[in-house]
Amino acid sequence: MKKILLQAIGMILLLATLVSCLKGEKKLNAKPNIIFIYLDDLGYGDIGAYGATELNTPAMDELANGGVRFTNGYATSATCTPSRYALLTGVYPWRNKDAAILPGTAPLIIGTEQMTVPKMLKEQGYETAVVGKWHLGLGAGIVNWNERVSPGPNEVGFDYAYIMAATQDRVPTVYIDNGYVDGLDKNDPIEISYQNNFEGEPTGKENPELLTMNWHHGHNNSIVNGIPRIGFMKGGESAKWSDVDMADHFLSKAKSYVKRSANRKKPFFLYYALQQPHVPRTPHPRFEGASGMGPRGDVIVEADWCIGEFFETLEKEGLMENTLIILSSDNGPVLNDGYYDDAVDKLGKHMPAGKLRGGKYSLFEAGTRVPFITYWKGIIEPGISDALVCQMDLFASLAALTGSDKKVQDSENVMPALLGHSPIGREELVIEATSRTAFRKGDWALIPPYKGPESNTLVNIELGNHSDYQLYNLKHDIGQTNNLAESNPDKLNEMKAAFEIIRGGDYTKIKQLELK
């Protein structure tokens, strides 16, 4: 009942916002252009507006200071594939058994019949595009990379798709343009395997003399541009990307798309998925040394510059006043995630997670609480919001904004909060980290007991595993240092009951984290 009441209040506030804006000087277009800017492994404390003092992020700071900066903004998950699944579908990723960290050869995990954000917006008259990291699988099983790769982004709602298949540290190390490998020479076909190497092909493990970046764990298979990757690849030399040029390359594609869209009558939706600061961190030479923190800091500075350049293009094309921009990250931060790149040694005073505990892979707050910013020039007033919002809610919120009647299982309409007109977000949220789930409700966080190591020593991150229930009051203990499960049994039982209503009773069946 309370959830229904909150949703009703949200709809009333949204309608009031639309009416007031239409009557006043600020005219709100119910079908603005919509842009998701999605970073990869950017932590809650990695942006100046969120408290970073050692990194210079002027573009993201300007966005945060000119829009709504959420202090309780969440990805659904502490790893990338599940978060991206929820972002585009509005469905909890733990409902899909395949929504886990995927190899580069995994089949598409979004059903082609499934409703998605781009599909919903296309029905409302939008043109849709994705530029950047995908990592939601491609094809239906065995992929022939030398023909059109399908199904993929085009089959789940994107008119235009220029992507990398998985991650920068996984093969295939090529760009894919609307299903076709960009720049492929058919006389040099691509072969991919995640089980066995191809005869005569060097690897990071067997040929360290060929490396320009050394691997720490997991990343010791095929070598591309001196960097050892996950998985084995042969052929496709003309199509292989240049790592140091990747940020510029995706930026160019994103800018070209909005320039093409500027003079069209249709509104557009662009999902601009940057690869930074995921490993391997390969800043362009222009940014080497820019942060003083090594490659991780440098690629954050580089990503911020890309965002600034992208905003400049929006301004030049006259699009800022009619564009809703949402910026966030797929999960929390990690320093050593498979390569020796000075991320730990040169960290200095910087705190990638801010005051939060944990990081990527973790059920503690830093795994899923991430930078979350909304900006709409002339419409959204600058402010800071404590409303609980999740990337999964973008489906229902954008549906409400654009007049769609489409609904999906888990997404909630929090558009009044996203526009800065209401302090009310969602009431509760299940979060996920490598198949384990936990619960946020009000000021409280519940982590059920899970078997497994309390920390992953390879990445040096606390995972949240413990033999007993953990209960934290985040209003008074944002760093999750004081477990109140034993001293507050009534609240513990209340949280457990609310969690199990959503999650069911089978949440103890998990897969242990395996980094490879």
Side-chain angles (χ1 to χ4, degrees):
M1 180 62 72
K2 186 176 180 182
K3 182 177 179 180
I4 295 172
L5 179 61
L6 287 171
Q7 289 177 333
I9 292 171
M11 284 302 297
I12 291 169
L13 287 167
L14 177 58
L15 290 171
T17 297
L18 293 172
V19 171
S20 64
C21 287
L22 288 170
K23 286 182 177 179
E25 293 181 3
K26 298 177 180 177
K27 297 226 179 202
L28 186 150
N29 182 353
K31 291 186 179 179
N33 304 312
I34 300 165
I35 298 174
F36 292 174
I37 298 177
Y38 212 40
L39 289 104
D40 196 352
D41 296 355
L42 188 77
Y44 190 85
D46 276 328
I47 300 176
Y50 278 84
T53 58
E54 309 301 305
L55 273 175
N56 188 27
T57 56
M60 287 187 278
D61 292 348
E62 182 177 352
L63 195 75
N65 294 328
V68 179
R69 173 169 63 85
F70 288 91
T71 63
N72 281 296
Y74 285 79
T76 58
S77 308
T79 52
C80 51
T81 295
S83 292
R84 291 163 197 271
Y85 177 84
L87 175 80
L88 293 179
T89 66
V91 176
Y92 276 123
W94 44 264
R95 298 192 191 279
N96 182 337
K97 63 180 178 58
D98 296 320
I101 304 172
L102 298 178
T105 53
L108 180 68
I109 65 168
I110 299 176
T112 54
E113 77 292 341
Q114 193 170 354
M115 183 51 62
T116 63
V117 170
K119 277 186 181 180
M120 179 269 291
L121 291 175
K122 281 183 72 171
E123 290 182 359
Q124 295 306 109
Y126 279 75
E127 294 183 342
T128 59
V130 55
V131 171
K133 176 179 172 177
W134 180 241
H135 208 192
L136 287 162
L138 293 168
I142 299 174
V143 172
N144 181 353
W145 301 96
N146 307 291
E147 303 294 337
R148 187 172 189 276
V149 179
S150 176
N154 300 116
E155 287 70 35
V156 296
F158 288 104
D159 297 313
Y160 171 69
Y162 193 92
I163 62 169
M164 67 162 115
T167 57
Q168 195 179 341
D169 57 345
R170 286 174 172 81
V171 299
T173 52
V174 295
Y175 299 120
I176 300 172
D177 186 351
N178 284 327
Y180 293 95
V181 172
D182 192 11
L184 178 65
D185 179 355
K186 292 295 182 73
N187 295 316
D188 182 26
I190 294 173
E191 296 180 71
I192 302 292
S193 173
Y194 271 72
Q195 285 76 43
N196 301 300
N197 192 22
F198 301 98
E199 185 176 354
E201 293 296 310
T203 68
K205 188 174 183 179
E206 302 296 332
N207 304 94
E209 73 280 1
L210 300 179
L211 303 182
T212 58
M213 181 182 293
N214 292 320
W215 60 279
H216 179 269
H217 60 270
H219 301 72
N220 57 18
N221 299 150
S222 287
I223 303 169
V224 180
N225 303 330
I227 302 170
R229 316 283 170 152
I230 301 172
F232 303 100
M233 178 175 176
K234 180 180 180 181
E237 290 299 323
S238 64
K240 288 179 179 177
W241 64 48
S242 165
D243 289 271
V244 298
D245 294 310
M246 181 176 287
D248 286 345
H249 193 70
F250 283 142
L251 172 62
S252 175
K253 296 297 180 181
K255 289 169 67 173
S256 294
Y257 178 78
V258 298
K259 287 177 181 179
R260 291 197 303 270
S261 301
N263 296 320
R264 296 178 183 174
K265 293 182 179 180
K266 283 187 173 184
F268 68 83
F269 163 58
L270 171 62
Y271 171 37
Y272 179 22
L274 286 76
Q275 85 280 8
Q276 302 107 320
H278 194 283
V279 295
R281 293 141 185 164
T282 54
H284 189 276
R286 301 192 311 274
F287 295 95
E288 287 184 1
S291 68
M293 295 182 196
R296 183 178 187 274
D298 294 348
V299 297
I300 292 175
V301 173
E302 180 181 45
D304 187 79
W305 176 84
C306 288
I307 292 168
E309 289 291 302
F310 182 64
F311 290 164
E312 187 174 319
T313 298
L314 293 175
E315 288 279 15
K316 286 181 178 178
E317 298 298 326
L319 295 170
M320 277 300 234
E321 288 78 5
N322 190 34
T323 301
L324 171 62
I325 299 170
I326 301 157
L327 182 146
S328 197
S329 174
D330 62 353
N331 51 250
V334 59
L335 296 178
N336 180 347
D337 204 19
Y339 297 98
Y340 288 102
D341 65 359
D342 293 327
V344 176
D345 297 339
K346 294 186 177 181
L347 184 65
K349 297 178 181 178
H350 181 56
M351 300 171 63
K355 295 179 180 179
L356 305 180
R357 185 177 179 182
K360 185 178 181 180
Y361 312 115
S362 176
L363 282 175
F364 289 120
E365 283 293 286
T368 50
R369 194 193 296 207
V370 290
F372 197 121
I373 300 162
T374 57
Y375 181 93
W376 188 348
K377 187 175 182 179
I379 298 296
I380 292 180
E381 296 291 337
I384 300 171
S385 176
D386 296 328
L388 178 61
V389 295
C390 179
Q391 295 160 8
M392 183 173 62
D393 297 327
L394 294 175
F395 185 106
S397 302
L398 295 173
L401 178 67
T402 60
S404 172
D405 61 359
K406 289 293 186 289
K407 298 184 185 302
V408 288
Q409 188 167 6
D410 301 306
S411 186
E412 296 185 16
N413 174 22
V414 294
M415 184 53 72
L418 298 181
L419 293 175
H421 289 276
S422 171
I424 300 172
R426 61 165 46 238
E427 183 183 0
E428 53 196 11
L429 175 68
V430 175
I431 60 172
E432 183 265 346
T434 59
S435 78
R436 300 162 298 134
T437 46
F439 191 53
R440 270 290 326 260
K441 184 174 183 178
D443 294 328
W444 295 84
L446 169 74
I447 304 177
Y450 291 108
K451 295 179 180 178
E454 293 188 5
S455 295
N456 184 286
T457 56
L458 291 176
V459 296
N460 193 29
I461 288 175
E462 293 181 286
L463 300 177
N465 294 332
H466 197 272
S467 57
D468 298 315
Y469 280 94
Q470 298 175 74
L471 179 69
Y472 300 99
N473 185 316
L474 300 176
K475 184 176 182 179
H476 303 296
D477 180 25
I478 195 172
Q480 296 178 286
T481 60
N482 186 18
N483 183 4
L484 301 175
E486 187 174 337
S487 63
N488 201 333
D490 291 341
K491 176 57 73 172
L492 175 64
N493 290 331
E494 175 193 325
M495 291 286 286
K496 287 167 61 177
F499 171 58
E500 291 181 5
I501 287 173
I502 302 172
R503 184 64 180 88
D506 63 348
Y507 58 86
T508 58
K509 298 176 183 178
I510 64 168
K511 297 179 181 178
Q512 295 296 338
L513 172 63
E514 183 181 2
L515 300 176
K516 61 181 181 178

